Every structure is written in C-alpha cells, then in structure tokens.
Amino acid sequence: MQKTTQLYEGKAKKVYATEDPEYCIVSYKDDATAFNGLKKGSIAGKGAINNRVTNFLMKLLEKNGIPTHYVEELNDRETVVRRVKIVPLEVIVRNIAAGSLAKRLGVEEGTKLHSTVLEYCYKDDALGDPMVNEYHILAMQWATKEELDKIASYALKINKVLSDYLKAVNIELIDFKLEFGKTSDGTIVLADEISPDTCRFWDSVTKEKLDKDRFRRDLGGVEDAYHEILKRLLGE
Ligand code: UDP
C-alpha cells in the first residue's frame, strides 16, 4: 500500500491517506512533547520503538478479542491501519496512583488503587484536554451510551490483558491512555498507540520508570528506557 496525501500531523505521528479510502498509513516520529506541548524535544529511535511496541501489543489484544485498527507493519516507522473517525476522548486507565491523579487526590505516587480507575478527557489541545464524565460525553454527543459502554468494557479488558502480559516480563502497568475510533460501518475499534509515550511502565522489582516520565521529569536515560521496553517485549 502506498502513501498519497498527508492527512494530519500530530505531536508524535503523521497520518497519510492511501489509494484505498478504508486505510491509512501512520508514520511515527522521534519528536517528543509534554505538558500540552510546552516542553519539546526529541528521543532518538523513539518512532521506530513506539511503532513496533504498539503493533506488538495491538496484535496481542486482537488475539484476546479486542478489535483494533492495526492492519500491517510496513517498515520500522510505518504501519497500515484502518481509517477511523476518532472518538474525541482520551480514555485513561489507572491501577496505581501517579501523575495528575496523585496530585489531584493528594496521595503519594505509587499508592495502590483498590480498584481500577477509568477517566475520560475531551481531546482538545486548546482547552488542555479537560477531564469529563459520562454525562458530558452523552450531552455533547461525543459518543452514544452504547458506544461508551463498549469503550469502557474494552478498556478494562485491555487493562487485564496488558497487565498480565507485562507482569511476566517484570513490568508493572501503572496507568495508560487509549483512543478509540469508528470504522465506516460504525464498529468501535482500538486506535492510536500503546507505547512508553502513552503508558507508565515501572520495573516490577526496582520500580524504575521505563516510560515518558523520564523525558517529562528530566530523569535522564530516556532512550535506554524505551529500548528496555522493546527488549522486554520483543526480545531485541
Ligand atoms: N497520557 C497520554 N497522553 C496525554 C495524557 C496522559 O498518553 O495527553 C497518559 C500518560 O502517559 C499516563 C496516563 O495517560 O500513562 C495518565 O496520565 P496523567 O493523567 O497522570 O497525566 P500526566 O501526569 O501524564 O500529565
């Protein structure tokens, strides 16, 4: 499949149209941003790692009954995906308090949550992706009740599949962000990426951070952390 025109350029990826209106090609960049674009930088090799990690995890989820937009990896940085209309929500799943939740609730980062927490943010950079609840989502018609129920149940199943898989390679899944899309026939599928940019991964034993927090918080060893995730998941 060939790229035709560029449809969109985001902070970490470019999306191209193809000859077939049902498919597009995603190209992952090394660019990194944090704090709604306020902090900018680049992480060498990140695009290729996020492409490969995302595709590996999407395939794992497909095997476990979660429909995704994944079609075919073309090369290091590029993947063919189903063309979808993105539901304008960031779906956040949390197992351990960290980041904005730790701040909001005034608990120490690393505090175990006694049950999984699901949050939604409205995807709008100009508004800073505000947190919203089910009532806002239905009132604004960002998704129907049926779509939202499906999204929530997929998100919890994804959490279970990923947490179990990662535990076996000594990674604790602290929290992560998902995005869903709708295909031309209205099917809800998992879209976007699942990578160290969008998940918090801690080493199960040492609790070392192996994700984008190393960039956000200037902890050093950013590239090494991304490589470590690739190595633990794909063995390279
Ligand atoms: N996250 C993301 N994109 C965003 C906001 C959050 O991928 O625009 C991920 C983030 O990597 C973390 C989880 O969602 O794994 C929860 O993030 P949080 O709300 O704690 O915000 P942060 O502290 O990252 O600003």
Side-chain angles (χ1 to χ4, degrees):
M1 202 163 295
Q2 292 288 325
K3 290 183 277 193
T4 55
T5 53
Q6 184 176 307
L7 294 173
Y8 169 82
E9 176 161 10
K11 288 174 237 161
K13 297 186 283 297
K14 290 182 188 178
V15 182
Y16 297 90
T18 67
E19 330 63 280
D20 187 331
E22 293 291 330
Y23 298 96
C24 37
I25 291 174
V26 180
S27 178
Y28 286 75
K29 307 191 286 185
D30 285 352
D31 298 354
T33 63
F35 314 119
N36 199 17
L38 244 63
K39 183 182 169 90
K40 287 193 177 72
S42 170
I43 301 172
K46 174 172 87 80
I49 292 175
N50 284 359
N51 183 40
R52 304 194 58 204
V53 166
T54 294
N55 294 342
F56 178 82
L57 295 175
M58 292 267 179
K59 283 187 262 184
L60 174 73
L61 292 169
E62 286 273 359
K63 272 187 235 152
N64 284 275
I66 304 289
T68 78
H69 73 163
Y70 173 78
V71 178
E72 185 194 8
E73 189 168 289
L74 288 180
N75 56 53
D76 250 20
R77 272 172 202 278
E78 295 179 328
T79 295
V80 181
V81 298
R82 295 283 301 275
R83 190 159 178 177
V84 298
K85 200 166 179 302
I86 292 287
V87 176
L89 297 173
E90 297 197 334
V91 179
I92 294 175
V93 185
R94 302 179 181 273
N95 299 305
I96 305 272
S100 70
L101 182 78
K103 227 182 228 168
R104 193 168 354 113
L105 301 187
V107 296
E108 203 184 327
E109 193 164 69
T111 304
K112 189 179 157 39
L113 298 165
H114 287 286
S115 49
T116 304
V117 171
L118 207 56
E119 293 171 354
Y120 303 103
C121 295
Y122 173 48
K123 262 173 74 73
D124 186 310
D125 281 341
L127 298 176
D129 300 336
M131 190 189 285
V132 295
N133 65 28
E134 273 207 38
Y135 291 93
H136 300 115
I137 295 167
L138 299 181
M140 294 301 291
Q141 298 187 297
W142 293 323
T144 65
K145 178 80 171 75
E146 292 67 35
E147 288 165 352
L148 197 54
D149 287 348
K150 183 144 262 184
I151 286 171
S153 95
Y154 284 157
L156 295 175
K157 172 87 189 283
I158 291 166
N159 185 40
K160 173 88 180 100
V161 172
L162 294 184
S163 294
D164 288 351
Y165 192 88
L166 290 163
K167 194 183 272 179
V169 291
N170 266 316
I171 298 167
E172 205 171 343
L173 182 58
I174 305 303
D175 58 29
F176 57 101
K177 185 264 299 181
L178 300 171
E179 292 182 27
F180 292 86
K182 254 179 8 172
T183 61
S184 55
D185 68 2
T187 309
I188 295 279
V189 300
L190 177 65
D192 196 50
E193 65 178 287
I194 310 176
S195 72
D197 269 14
T198 63
C199 303
R200 285 195 169 92
F201 295 134
W202 292 4
D203 182 281
S204 304
V205 179
T206 65
K207 308 295 175 193
E208 187 190 2
K209 294 179 183 10
L210 298 172
D211 55 56
K212 196 168 146 188
D213 273 346
R214 302 205 74 84
F215 168 79
R216 292 188 189 101
R217 303 178 188 187
D218 296 319
L219 300 176
V222 185
E223 280 88 358
D224 287 350
Y226 279 69
H227 273 111
E228 184 62 27
I229 292 297
L230 181 71
K231 193 166 118 198
R232 290 200 200 178
L233 287 177
L234 284 97
E236 37 189 278

